[in-house]
Amino acid sequence: MTQPATAESTLPGIPGRGPEDGPATDVVGRPLPEFPEPPTRAGHGPARIVAMCNQKGGVGKTTTTINLGAALAEYGRRVLLVDFDPQGAASVGVGISPHELDLSVYNLIMDRDVELSDVVRPTAIERLDVVPANIDLSAAEVQLVGEVARESILSRALRPALDDYDVILVDCQPSLGLLTVNALTAAHGVLIPLECEFFALRGVALLVETIDKVKDRLNPDLEVDGILPTMFDSRTLHSREVVQRVHEAFGDTLLHTVIGRTVKFPDASVAAEPITAYAPTHRGASAYRQLARELVARGRIA
Ligand SMILES: Nc1ncnc2c1ncn2[C@@H]1O[C@H](COP(=O)(O)OP(=O)(O)OP(=O)(O)O)[C@@H](O)[C@H]1O
Ligand SMILES: [Mg+2]
């Protein structure tokens, strides 16, 4: 399954420089390392918790949570998706109907009698489980304000999962409120999906400031695992310029992997499947597999 480091395969679907023109490079001209297939693991855990975070809406947080999760599961990792957005899009995206839920992540964080095992649901993808959410969660933002240790409620709730999973991906809502702060307090790493359009960078300074505050006050070990450009359009210079700006501002925190814009992602959401199952050979599926391999190669995920 390991692919050669040609521009076409290493940045799936995104033209860069192939071996015939010299060494392969990424969108901003950095040499492209080869990301090998992750080695198989003997057992499972301890899990790394990664929060998918950007207060801007519609940038690919949920798409990345689902598809990175599915790609890691394909590579043998045990993955738990935590839907932490009252919109419930991550739950729907893996085939769970939010209105039919007896228990959701809301009960997990607000009700002391509810345990993680009560709310975890399997998905159609092997090794991929989900803690679903629905609109109930919208009340938690206000209700949490009065709780003791209100920022670390999710962290405590997820503790029993650390030994059973290799990766826990938390899909945040588009805000920097108390729910997102809970995700950042629980997390070991943050992944920032960034849409390749002109105003994308505007909110990132505020996001980084929030991450730094959480790091200072609540979670000193929190790291930014990477910035992931999404909805990259290889036909326009514009997308490339946005990624270039991200590189100038954030250096190698910018991942090599770039997710191209394709209608296969909304199509897969409608089918309630990860793209790796809906269109396994599509370049969108290859891109998320590459993201999984890059994060393992960078030592972010074991
Ligand atoms: N690479 C892509 N190419 C084309 N469409 C995409 C891509 N990634 C995501 N989309 C689509 O864009 C829309 C927003 O994506 P997504 O729901 O993942 O963003 P989000 O950041 O989770 O949004 P929100 O902030 O509302 O939670 C969805 O319809 C999704 O299918
Ligand atoms: Mg979302």
Side-chain angles (χ1 to χ4, degrees), residues 56-63 85 87 174 231 259-262 265-266 269:
K56 192 170 186 297
V59 300
K61 294 180 288 295
T62 301
T63 303
D85 182 349
Q87 295 177 97
M231 306 189 203
I259 309 297
R261 184 183 287 278
T262 160
F265 287 111
S269 317

Side-chain angles (χ1 to χ4, degrees), residues 7-85:
E8 185 57 34
S9 63
T10 324
L11 287 175
I14 295 168
R17 287 194 5 238
E20 67 282 4
D21 319 307
T25 56
D26 69 6
V27 167
V28 295
R30 292 176 295 182
L32 257 181
E34 212 176 317
F35 303 120
E37 187 164 332
T40 45
R41 299 199 54 181
H44 294 290
R48 183 176 175 86
I49 303 179
V50 180
M52 219 60 70
C53 219
N54 190 330
Q55 77 276 22
K56 192 170 186 297
V59 300
K61 294 180 288 295
T62 301
T63 303
T64 300
T65 305
I66 293 171
N67 294 303
L68 172 61
L72 286 165
E74 273 187 8
Y75 287 129
R77 272 52 183 173
R78 283 207 72 201
V79 181
L80 179 65
L81 307 184
V82 178
D83 191 348
F84 215 41
D85 182 349

